[in-house]
Amino acid sequence: MNSPHRPHRAVTLSQAAENSPSLARLTELVRESNEWLKAVEPLIPEALRQAVQAGPIDGDTWCLLVSGNAAAAKIRQLVPLIQARLRGKGSKVTSIRLKVLINRK
């Protein structure tokens, strides 16, 4: 029993998100996380900005992905300033986690 061949049609991420509420929410969280990073970037020393990436948002907790322990130690000192900046922008973040990315060779 052969089913009729149905050609696959490529869709963009935004089209897929429109058709899937969970994907739409994930897309929104990624956008929000990137906006938050842009908002706090001026607080991060220029030499460290390349080491910091926007990470996932989980409720009222935001995760920053940091390349290396030394950069994470410096960023950890800035967490109170980062939280204050986000609150000033209307964010409900109450906790910021840092996840150190390990470069595996």
Side-chain angles (χ1 to χ4, degrees):
M1 180 179 215
N2 292 337
S3 61
H5 178 68
R6 204 171 74 184
H8 294 282
R9 188 178 57 150
V11 295
T12 66
L13 178 59
S14 60
Q15 289 170 328
E18 288 174 7
N19 296 323
S20 168
S22 58
L23 185 55
R25 178 65 182 141
L26 181 60
T27 302
E28 174 64 21
L29 288 172
V30 168
R31 185 194 60 71
E32 190 173 6
S33 184
N34 286 325
E35 284 180 3
W36 289 355
L37 182 57
K38 285 180 188 166
V40 302
E41 227 170 29
L43 301 173
I44 300 170
E46 196 169 328
L48 289 177
R49 290 179 189 168
Q50 293 276 333
V52 181
Q53 299 173 41
I57 298 171
D58 185 15
D60 59 359
T61 301
W62 183 36
C63 180
L64 287 173
L65 308 174
V66 185
S67 299
N69 289 321
K74 296 279 189 186
I75 299 299
R76 194 168 284 113
Q77 296 172 355
L78 299 173
V79 165
L81 290 172
I82 292 171
Q83 285 178 303
R85 171 70 55 94
L86 292 174
R87 278 193 304 273
K89 300 265 184 198
S91 168
K92 305 267 191 267
V93 170
T94 60
S95 175
I96 296 176
R97 286 187 313 119
L98 301 181
K99 181 171 183 176
V100 179
L101 301 174
I102 298 171
N103 187 6
R104 298 192 190 264
K105 295 181 181 182

